[in-house]
Amino acid sequence: MELTKDILLDLHRRMVRIRHFEDEAGKLSESGQMPGALHLYVGEEAVAAGVMVHLSDEDQITSTHRGHGHLVAKGGDFKQMYAELYGRSTGYNKGKGGSMHIANVDAGMLGANGIVAAGPPIAVGAGFSNKYRGTKNVAVPFFGDGATNEGSFHEAANMAAVWKLPVVFVCENNGYGEFTPQAEHQAIKDITDRAAGYGMPGIQADGMDAIAVWEAAGEAIERARNGEGPTLLECKTYRYYDHVGRSGIGLEYRSDEELDEYRKEDPIPKIEKHLIDNNVLTADEIQAVHDGILAEIAEAIKFAENSPLPDPSTVTEDVYYTG
Amino acid sequence: MELTKDILLDLHRRMVRIRHFEDEAGKLSESGQMPGALHLYVGEEAVAAGVMVHLSDEDQITSTHRGHGHLVAKGGDFKQMYAELYGRSTGYNKGKGGSMHIANVDAGMLGANGIVAAGPPIAVGAGFSNKYRGTKNVAVPFFGDGATNEGSFHEAANMAAVWKLPVVFVCENNGYGEFTPQAEHQAIKDITDRAAGYGMPGIQADGMDAIAVWEAAGEAIERARNGEGPTLLECKTYRYYDHVGRSGIGLEYRSDEELDEYRKEDPIPKIEKHLIDNNVLTADEIQAVHDGILAEIAEAIKFAENSPLPDPSTVTEDVYYTG
Amino acid sequence: MTAEATTEARQLPYILAITEGVRQSLQEYDTSFLAGEDVGLAGSVFRIYKGLYAEFGPERVIDSPISEAGLIGLGVGAGATGLRPMIDIMFSDFIGECMDEIANQLAKTRYMFGGKTTLPVTVLTMGGGGINLAAQHSQSLEAWLCHIPGLKVMMPATPHDVKGAIIAANRDENPVFVIMNKASLGITGEVPEEPYAVNIGEAIVRREGSNFTIVAIGRMMHEAMTAAEILEKDGIDVEVIDPLTLQPLDTETILTSVRKTHRALVVHEAVRFGGIGAEIAAQIQENAFDDLDAPVGRIGAPFSPVPFSPPLEQAYLPNAQKIADGVKDLIGLD
Amino acid sequence: MTAEATTEARQLPYILAITEGVRQSLQEYDTSFLAGEDVGLAGSVFRIYKGLYAEFGPERVIDSPISEAGLIGLGVGAGATGLRPMIDIMFSDFIGECMDEIANQLAKTRYMFGGKTTLPVTVLTMGGGGINLAAQHSQSLEAWLCHIPGLKVMMPATPHDVKGAIIAANRDENPVFVIMNKASLGITGEVPEEPYAVNIGEAIVRREGSNFTIVAIGRMMHEAMTAAEILEKDGIDVEVIDPLTLQPLDTETILTSVRKTHRALVVHEAVRFGGIGAEIAAQIQENAFDDLDAPVGRIGAPFSPVPFSPPLEQAYLPNAQKIADGVKDLIGLD
Ligand SMILES: Cc1ncc(C[n+]2csc(CCOP(=O)(O)OP(=O)(O)O)c2C)c(N)n1
Ligand SMILES: Cc1ncc(C[n+]2csc(CCOP(=O)(O)OP(=O)(O)O)c2C)c(N)n1
Ligand SMILES: [Mg+2]
Ligand SMILES: [Mg+2]
């Protein structure tokens, strides 16, 4: 597993795509132009990018309420994504799902999910399927620190371990479940402390560093592809915005110092410094990456805004497959 | 914590009471005289006895489908117990519960339970209550190896740990969930491997040795009473009969050798040897203990058989408290 | 009973009536506590418990891990051992996470034990759609709960009733669900300052009328009242009944009305098929068959999950116009 | 459709019809597997899958940990990625452990994704009472499932239908629940040897009659047939309809019968309040109001958990005599 220039560029690009996608979505939501509740991924980009670089469309992920970043990193198309957030019929889910259910099954993205910890058991099903069908594919559930207290996480982890399934459990430990700090929802600091209880390896990566995540994830995914069973990968990370939306409910539950500390660890400037220091990109070239993505986003938002709303008569369509 | 003669006699007595209670119940069930399905506790007596000696009526336990042994050890009255198994109105639950729900709340026995792993969350509630009310009481959920794969076990363990509740989680690891050996339902051998994941101590005791259980449980219970939080206590044990009833469904899923091995470890002869070796009881006195209990059982069975069946009109009573 | 004008004039929004109901419940019993996900510092994502954490402290207003099964278990164990738990399940959509603890433990323990325990447990949860939260945060699942002997189920529509329901639930020795409504948080109404309980199992005649009975559940009561105004213009004099409690159901008040009006429509936000409206309609025709001039109608959501997109969700949810149309249909107008 | 005499004469008990249905499903699709607690070596505690583990091996007949939520999740994930899972939930009472995965994932995923996946998942589970297994192993909870758009729900009463339902469910591209009945395992009937599917959503007229319609669900079909014989002696000619599928419900077959007989009683083992009988009764009176000579009656269990003690359980469960009495009541006899 060599950290080539291509991989560096890829990590960077995926993170920048997420960052701008989320910032623009957050603004649209705040200004009342976008319906529903958005759980933004800003600050945690290194995790999605570092993992997703290893995955193909045949590898599956399950996501969370905080799912846009995962879909962007898994190659999500901005147009269909914004259209979905806007509830338009051109969206990935024809407007039926919205932010909390955005999905692209064709690319192995088995959906954001409004139910905390619903993803792991589904990913176990996908991992089981990969093994059953004799493929080398892996399934990767993403979930938060808070989610690890749900019974469904536990059941999934145990099943994956006893059946040695190709599943890599990626915990995005951002230190909070909504407004509750980790210390008040579990007596442990490291989610990896749970791995031994399933008989699977638990490894950690700095979730504010895409390269670190890439390395750790690569190891775990390779093990899974080789039939050596699941891994619990914990990435310590931080969300820069509130639980919902950018400024959220205005509750003071985190200190400015804490936020500042993690701002200093912002994974995007961090990798950009690496790119420049290692002569992969110049500052101008980096700016061009941002500009290109911002232009793509502007166009996608226009596309979404000009897209039709779904016809009310379609409300009862898509409940069942009818052949 | 001193292993006095009284405690030795108590441990022995509780185990013998369970053993004979269960053997007789098993026979009655096998001969078709007793309705329903009985999950017998024979072989595992040391666990219930070793734990219960430490508890008063103000300490609570939750039990499992395999619950008779827990209730006997918690001071259950044979008459009301057999009457309940027979579905008589004189039973602990007026015949409404039967084997799988037998309970005596007055003595802190919060019920056998037909739902695997339903007990731990309820015990967490009782432990919370003990703490909230400022008592020194503890709550003890019993559960099997198989139960530790249910989400509810996980949620309960985490809650007890983060809130430092006076709860001692007692796992009766008998190596099987129904007919499935442990190695096929979890990738770990020691349930204590799960303790660290909750941030609580995990300790083990030989579940075929009442004295060993008594020692380990005493330690954990004391910690709980002192406000030092929960413990996971794993007792490796074995059930001598089938999953349901004595001979069960006649499936070959355990070897004769395995059974023989554990028969050699039978906790009752083991403690009886100890009693004799240490001049606590003579063989005759031991026999007298058995005889006394058997006589009490014979009387209790007669009581139960002569007790009235509940009046059909009471079927809709006791659903709600109506004042 | 008939809605009576109270002498109290204080107006309070639904959201603050919830807070007050819980506050006064915590004051009334030292043994009561509130536990749930983010109910403490945040006062819930809905801010319905704002201030209670500061007032009662972390021993009595308790932020829990994200563990709904654990939370209901907490209620059962604490309720059986001397406390009066108030358990918050943030969205009623999440009851699937703990239906075993609800249906097999909370509801059945007293019966299984032969009546030898009480479980004075209140479960507070937020139901309903209307704010684009999509399929997993907008449901109305009261039918599941009403089918389970051992539970009581309330769906208060007004600020007055939500406060009174919470206090009533907390005073009751049985498990009671109070399903609050997220789209009603801003609705304002009279709420007496002192603690009071509504009567569990007693429906409320919200509007008297002679031609037609609408039984409207939860938020749909407000839509039915608007529908009644629309219909008044067509000369249809509608009586609106708010059952308030769905389990036990006040069948008598409903039947008395139908025997007078000879026609009825039941409305709820839940999916129509298998909703509680089916039970109410079935009971009406069973008990007042000869009084009926038309079949008992039902309006509920169509047979699909709740869609996200605003025009789809609007098409999905029942409202005043659909109710009025349903009434006209049943009467044979239009 | 009307029950037709098949040319096949082989008799098989319900229990072996289940086994054969699953066996042939596993043969039909390489992508099908069976997973559940103790379904492998033991062939389930009910022995309904006996022999399949030996025949298909541990890759396709899979003993799982005791993790019902995990099991349904397995079905969702495997079903969305090319397999046709058959998931066994040992007792239907345990669906509370996985109602979130059932209602919020399995049922809704296709819709939430805008139709962009199918979930050909079969859930096999054992329902009903009658063998003294008490409150947590005897329930009939089909009403929960029928209220959730996205699921199909079947309750086969006969050996023929249980085999055909399993195969039909496995062939269907949607999630289908097959709720089997533990008190019927010994019932014997004709079962063709070749694989066949019953039609999902098609009710069966079990007995034609002109005076009265009984709609009887699951095992209650047999009790209704006996009741019909009792009633024949009183000159009441009863038509018995077995819906077989509850979701989607074959309303047309029921209505056709009621339009002929003018009277109906719906019977199920589930608690009467909020049971699927309420929906059926509500639909009958909505759609055939003018054809009805009497209200639509309902018989179900009383409002309590299932009691353990045999005389209590017998008092609790509906049976032929109670059905016959119910019919006479509605007709105004006695
Ligand atoms: C079953 C369930 N319970 C509660 C919620 C409400 N909820 C949404 S997000 C969230 C916090 C999740 O915390 P974590 O898993 O750490 O993820 P994060 O938001 O920090 O990314 C909660 C409690 C939910 N959506 N589903
Ligand atoms: C929720 C639930 N799932 C499945 C069952 C069926 N069942 C009853 S006992 C049992 C095995 C329990 O194994 P374990 O916890 O090890 O206890 P043991 O029987 O060995 O004492 C199972 C699967 C159940 N009663 N409840
Ligand atoms: Mg978090
Ligand atoms: Mg075991």
Side-chain angles (χ1 to χ4, degrees), chain D:
Chain D
M1 84 172 214
T2 303
E4 39 200 332
T6 61
T7 50
E8 217 20 89
R10 187 184 57 149
Q11 300 280 317
L12 219 57
Y14 194 96
I15 185 170
L16 293 181
I18 294 171
T19 322
E20 191 163 281
V22 175
R23 176 184 298 112
Q24 292 179 347
S25 293
L26 290 170
Q27 285 165 345
E28 193 163 296
Y29 296 97
D30 287 344
T31 49
S32 284
F33 65 93
L34 172 71
E37 296 155 16
D38 288 288
V39 299
L41 185 63
S44 152
V45 286
F46 297 104
R47 317 306 304 272
I48 48 181
Y49 309 123
K50 205 172 154 183
L52 300 181
Y53 184 74
E55 189 174 342
F56 295 95
E59 272 81 37
R60 297 191 65 198
V61 179
I62 301 153
D63 277 324
S64 83
I66 313 178
S67 305
E68 289 81 11
L71 275 167
I72 300 292
L74 172 71
V76 175
T81 56
L83 303 187
R84 303 187 89 78
M86 312 187 80
I87 305 294
D88 178 85
I89 300 294
M90 193 186 295
F91 285 79
S92 73
D93 309 65
F94 306 160
I95 60 171
E97 298 279 6
C98 46
M99 272 313 280
D100 184 75
E101 284 72 14
I102 291 171
N104 283 333
Q105 313 300 333
L106 182 62
K108 293 185 176 52
T109 295
R110 177 178 168 77
Y111 186 83
M112 295 189 301
F113 288 7
K116 294 193 183 145
T117 189
T118 54
L119 286 171
V121 180
T122 298
V123 182
L124 300 166
T125 189
M126 194 67 79
I131 58 170
N132 314 125
L133 290 181
Q136 296 171 338
H137 288 72
S138 308
Q139 292 169 84
S140 298
L141 295 172
E142 64 275 5
W144 289 1
L145 301 170
C146 294
H147 188 45
I148 302 302
L151 305 177
K152 298 185 181 183
V153 183
M154 308 183 77
M155 281 182 75
T158 67
H160 175 276
D161 288 357
V162 77
K163 174 178 165 181
I166 291 168
I167 293 174
N170 192 236
R171 288 180 186 168
D172 201 286
E173 298 298 328
N174 298 287
V176 183
F177 276 73
V178 180
I179 306 178
M180 308 172 286
N181 183 268
K182 65 174 78 71
S184 302
L185 293 177
I187 290 180
T188 293
E190 281 183 25
V191 178
E193 291 188 31
E194 69 279 7
Y196 60 90
V198 298
N199 290 328
I200 299 179
E202 218 172 274
I204 299 161
V205 179
R206 293 287 178 190
R207 183 187 203 277
E208 294 193 38
S210 56
N211 290 163
F212 201 100
T213 300
I214 300 179
V215 181
I217 290 157
R219 184 172 70 82
M220 286 300 116
M221 186 276 283
H222 302 291
E223 297 293 326
M225 294 297 276
T226 306
E229 283 167 33
I230 297 173
L231 291 163
E232 201 166 21
K233 294 178 194 129
D234 286 305
I236 307 171
D237 184 23
V238 172
E239 181 144 309
V240 176
I241 296 181
D242 172 358
L244 177 49
T245 310
L246 299 176
Q247 187 59 264
L249 183 70
D250 182 357
T251 309
E252 267 321 300
T253 297
I254 296 170
L255 290 177
T256 301
S257 176
V258 175
R259 289 195 179 111
K260 176 176 71 176
T261 63
H262 308 296
R263 283 182 165 86
L265 176 72
V266 191
V267 188
H268 52 58
E269 216 187 290
V271 165
R272 188 184 124 110
F273 192 104
I276 191 70
E279 177 65 34
I280 296 174
Q283 286 199 26
I284 292 174
Q285 63 88 35
E286 271 160 27
N287 296 295
F289 187 74
D290 293 331
D291 294 298
L292 283 173
D293 288 344
V296 182
R298 289 182 292 152
I299 287 184
F303 204 64
S304 87
V306 186
F308 162 66
S309 186
L312 292 181
E313 190 177 21
Q314 284 316 309
Y316 181 86
L317 293 172
N319 61 27
Q321 193 54 55
K322 293 179 197 175
I323 296 169
D325 292 347
V327 169
K328 287 188 200 165
D329 246 26
L330 284 166
I331 289 190
L333 287 179
D334 291 0

Side-chain angles (χ1 to χ4, degrees), chain A residues 144-146 172-178:
Chain A
D145 48 310
E172 306 177 311
N173 183 352
N174 61 12
Y176 294 84
E178 292 194 348

